[in-house]
Every structure is written in structure tokens, then in C-alpha cells.
Amino acid sequence: MAILKIARMGHPVLAKRAAEVSDPTAPDIRRLVADMVETMIDANGAGLAAPQVHVPLRVVVFQAPGERTADTGAEMFDHTAPLTVLVNPQVEIVDAAPDGGWEGCLSVPGLRGYVERAGHIRYRGFDHEGKTVARTARGFHARVVQHECDHLDGILYPQRMTDMRRFLFESEARHWAKGEEE
């Protein structure tokens, strides 16, 4: 396994639609997945898409650990996800009602942005062993899946933002947390 170099905003690989994978179980895909997982963990990311490591294929890895969620107790569903590999993922919006939240990205280091996404989705794809993965997701889990799958279509989260006043350096995020938006 190896730590891979992460492409940053502005690199052409991040602006193109990634190609379908013909065989999710191929040795090169298994190696890519192992390297992506190691890279994601090393970078303390919640997810990573193959284009982010300069590989224009439809492969994502992600996890939605409980400690990264902001559950207020009002939601009665599991918005966490175990370490997941998705090859050739498809996302279906179950409820398009907007769910806003702060996002960061390993390809947009040091910045955060407020993005509204669908709060309830279904997704499916294959893992690197060829098994079907099909789940319903809400909350942070849904956000991570949509964010990573956007990379496969050449979209970075700032392109999803509707209010650029909420695009800021991580070092300044404390002002928004304290309600000092004005």
C-alpha cells in the first residue's frame, strides 16, 4: 500500500467525468482501493474519490464515523457508515429537501464551505470484491456519499455553494460557530 498524492483544486483531473470501471475485482482496482483507503486515513478524510489521486475512474471510498456527525438527537436514524468502497456508484435522491452543512475537501485544503444537499438518498454500486453495495443514507452519511460522487462528475463542493460569503478559511470557522456571521 502507498500514500498517494492528492490533486488540488485547479488540476484538470478534478474537472472531468471519470470513466466507468469494467471489472471492480481487477488487481489494479484492488490496489487502487487499498492505496486510497490508506491515503484517506493518513489525510484524516471522511472520503476520497479516485480522481482526487489522479486516477480518472469511478471509484470512491468513505466512512462516516459517529464522532464527525452533529446529531442533535432529533434524528432517529443511523447517519454513520462503516468504511465503504463503491465502484461505479449511482445515487438516487429520496427526499430533495435541502440539508445544509459545512464541508471541507482534501482537494481544497484549508477551506470550508456551507453546502445544501439532499438529506435522504439511496446509493448502490459494487465493492472491490464485486459484491453489490446498496444502502439508504441520511445526514452526514448522505452528505459524504454525495460529496465523493460529485468528484466522479468533475464537481467540487464550492460549485454547489449558493452563498460565497460562507466560503472561508478553516482558521476563521470559529466566527461562524460563535454566531459572528455578521
Side-chain angles (χ1 to χ4, degrees):
M1 293 191 301
I3 304 292
L4 304 173
K5 184 176 180 180
I6 297 173
R8 295 171 78 165
M9 184 169 57
H11 193 287
V13 73
L14 297 173
K16 299 179 200 168
R17 186 179 194 286
E20 300 284 329
V21 173
S22 58
D23 180 5
T25 66
D28 57 333
I29 297 301
R30 287 175 173 264
R31 190 170 30 261
L32 172 64
V33 165
D35 291 346
M36 286 174 62
V37 169
E38 186 172 2
T39 302
M40 176 186 70
I41 291 169
D42 180 70
N44 194 31
L48 190 66
Q52 290 183 274
V53 292
H54 304 272
V55 178
L57 293 174
R58 297 187 77 77
V59 178
V60 299
V61 297
F62 63 87
Q63 54 191 350
E67 62 270 14
R68 287 212 174 171
T69 63
D71 182 19
T72 60
E75 299 171 330
M76 298 304 294
F77 54 83
D78 184 5
H79 48 267
T80 64
L83 179 60
T84 301
V85 174
L86 275 181
V87 179
N88 298 331
Q90 298 173 347
V91 176
E92 174 191 350
I93 305 300
V94 174
D95 183 355
D99 179 23
W102 291 95
E103 294 188 18
C105 181
L106 298 175
S107 293
V108 188
L111 296 168
R112 295 274 175 208
Y114 191 84
V115 180
E116 290 190 348
R117 295 190 182 271
H120 188 187
I121 64 167
R122 271 192 212 88
Y123 63 89
R124 66 180 295 116
F126 300 94
D127 67 13
H128 55 297
E129 295 176 352
K131 296 177 186 162
T132 299
V133 176
R135 295 187 187 135
T136 299
R138 297 185 194 226
F140 184 69
H141 182 176
R143 177 171 300 283
V144 170
V145 172
Q146 291 172 86
H147 177 111
E148 297 310 326
C149 289
D150 269 356
H151 281 296
L152 304 181
D153 293 326
I155 299 169
L156 296 177
Y157 79 84
Q159 294 168 270
R160 295 277 187 205
M161 294 178 62
T162 58
D163 183 353
M164 294 308 287
R165 293 174 298 175
R166 291 182 161 197
F167 189 42
L168 47 92
F169 286 99
E170 289 175 343
S171 61
E172 301 302 321
R174 70 187 185 284
H175 299 296
W176 287 86
K178 293 178 182 176
E180 298 175 17
E181 299 91 11
E182 301 301 322

